[in-house]
Amino acid sequence: MSAKPGPAESGGERTEAGRFVGTAAAHATLAVPTARPDEPVDTVLSNLRGHRFDSAAVVAVCRDERLVGLASIEQLLGAPPGTAVAAVMDADPPVVTPRTTQETAAWTAVHRAEPGLAVVDDDGVFRGLVPPDRLMAVLLAEHDEDLARLGGFLGTASAARAASGERVRRRLWHRLPWLVVGLLGAMLSAGVVGAFEEVLQRQVLLAFFVPAVVYLADAVGTQTETLIVRGLSVGVPVRRVAVRELVTGVLIGVSLAAAAAALTLWLWGDGQVAVAVGIALMAACSIATVVAMILPWLLSRLGVDPVYGSGPLATVVQDLLSILVYLAAATAVVT
């Protein structure tokens, strides 16, 4: 093996494993100098001339395609003529697998003060080298993402800027499908109300409180949803706040239920309707809290920005459940 790039990499192509976006393999290249451990240093340096590499800062020392060390160009230049590469190489260099995340790979190289990072498979076969410029690019990108999260954006700052400057057609593409889902939900809500027509005709007063129950449950859900999306944007997992937020939602529901039942009884003097409104509010607010926590988390896990989808989708789900809970409670209570 000599200090020459392989034929597939002479044009600066990255390794085939580079298809794994966000991993070490995505930044690795085989267009780097290689040498045998018993090869003289002056021979390796001589072979570097006349060849183009993606990076020549470090030489990958391999035996039968398996990596046995790394030798920086400074080590090679400082070695006496005739010295074997094995005498100056780092025999225990930091290595990562092709699927190692790019952030982990970059920090591994930095902490070991290496000018390049070798990528090897499970059998120790050399799969490429991540050059210094690509390591710096990874660190810059990760730093940019961390700052974006501290600023309250989900994803990278470049993605946030792109979303803010999108053309009208892209804005419609990101938003309109979710609103169409909301429209379908509104039609379904009308069907749910129609299914309870007999109860509403028997006690018309019940219809007066449908908007109130829906609005209050939606407001509670919106508060939770905002907290969850904001937490996700700065790296706070949903599980860290789930229990406290659920308890808060239940307590809010109980408080609103007690206040609404008392006001309904005082203003309209109907105890059955007051009980139905109270039960519905307590249940609807608790359910809205759960929905508002689950949907942003689920969309985030699916790779969809919760900023676009969680609001409309959570609203239609919460409204449907709030109407269903209220009318079911009214049917059970009102005779």
Side-chain angles (χ1 to χ4, degrees):
M1 195 172 292
S2 63
K4 299 179 182 179
E9 289 73 45
S10 58
E13 298 179 7
R14 297 190 183 187
T15 64
E16 183 180 356
R19 291 175 298 179
F20 301 116
V21 178
T23 64
H27 303 279
T29 176
L30 285 168
V32 295
T34 59
R36 300 186 308 272
D38 58 347
E39 198 168 359
V41 168
D42 43 342
T43 301
V44 174
L45 292 174
S46 177
N47 288 337
L48 290 176
R49 297 187 180 92
H51 299 285
R52 296 181 63 87
F53 302 96
D54 283 349
S55 174
V58 65
V59 174
V61 186
C62 301
R63 180 186 293 114
D64 298 327
E65 297 186 349
R66 286 178 168 78
L67 185 78
V68 296
L70 292 178
S72 68
I73 194 68
E74 292 84 0
Q75 290 171 320
L76 296 175
L77 290 172
T83 303
V85 174
V88 297
M89 73 178 185
D90 180 357
D92 185 28
V95 297
V96 293
T97 66
R99 292 184 180 273
T100 301
T101 63
Q102 61 181 19
E103 185 176 19
T104 300
W107 279 110
T108 298
V110 169
H111 291 160
R112 287 291 298 272
E114 292 284 354
L117 183 66
V119 179
V120 300
D121 62 17
D122 294 336
D123 296 324
V125 176
F126 180 62
R127 295 301 182 187
L129 188 87
V130 184
D133 58 327
R134 296 181 188 175
L135 289 172
M136 289 297 296
V138 169
L139 289 173
L140 179 61
E142 295 295 336
H143 177 66
D144 186 45
E145 181 176 351
D146 290 342
L147 287 179
R149 288 186 180 277
L150 288 174
F153 293 101
L154 184 63
T156 61
S158 59
R161 287 192 294 267
S164 299
E166 284 181 336
R167 295 181 181 274
V168 172
R169 190 169 70 174
R170 292 293 297 173
R171 291 174 185 267
L172 289 175
W173 174 253
H174 281 144
R175 300 182 187 182
L176 197 55
W178 297 109
L179 297 175
V180 170
V181 173
L183 177 61
L184 296 176
M187 298 298 102
L188 186 57
S189 297
V192 170
V193 174
F196 291 88
E197 181 179 1
E198 183 179 347
V199 176
L200 294 174
Q201 286 179 345
R202 189 165 63 245
Q203 179 55 274
V204 179
L205 183 60
L206 290 171
F208 297 174
F209 295 95
V210 171
V213 172
V214 170
Y215 165 74
L216 287 172
D218 190 39
V220 171
T222 299
Q223 289 179 332
T224 298
E225 177 193 323
T226 302
L227 185 147
I228 296 299
V229 172
R230 187 168 60 185
L232 288 172
S233 72
V234 294
V236 178
V238 175
R239 64 178 179 274
R240 186 179 299 178
V241 299
V243 174
R244 284 174 291 179
E245 191 60 27
L246 180 59
V247 171
T248 301
V250 171
L251 292 177
I252 289 175
V254 170
S255 301
L256 291 175
L263 287 172
T264 302
L265 184 61
W266 177 47
L267 294 174
W268 282 274
D270 193 315
Q272 291 182 327
V273 173
V275 171
V277 171
I279 293 174
L281 271 177
M282 181 178 63
C285 290
S286 302
I287 293 172
T289 301
V290 175
V291 171
M293 285 192 294
I294 291 177
L295 283 181
W297 170 82
L298 183 60
L299 291 174
S300 179
R301 295 282 293 182
L302 294 175
V304 179
D305 193 341
V307 170
Y308 291 118
S310 57
L313 190 57
T315 297
V316 69
V317 172
Q318 290 164 5
D319 289 355
L320 276 170
L321 293 177
S322 298
I323 292 173
L324 186 60
V325 165
Y326 173 55
L327 295 178
T331 302
V333 174
V334 177
T335 57

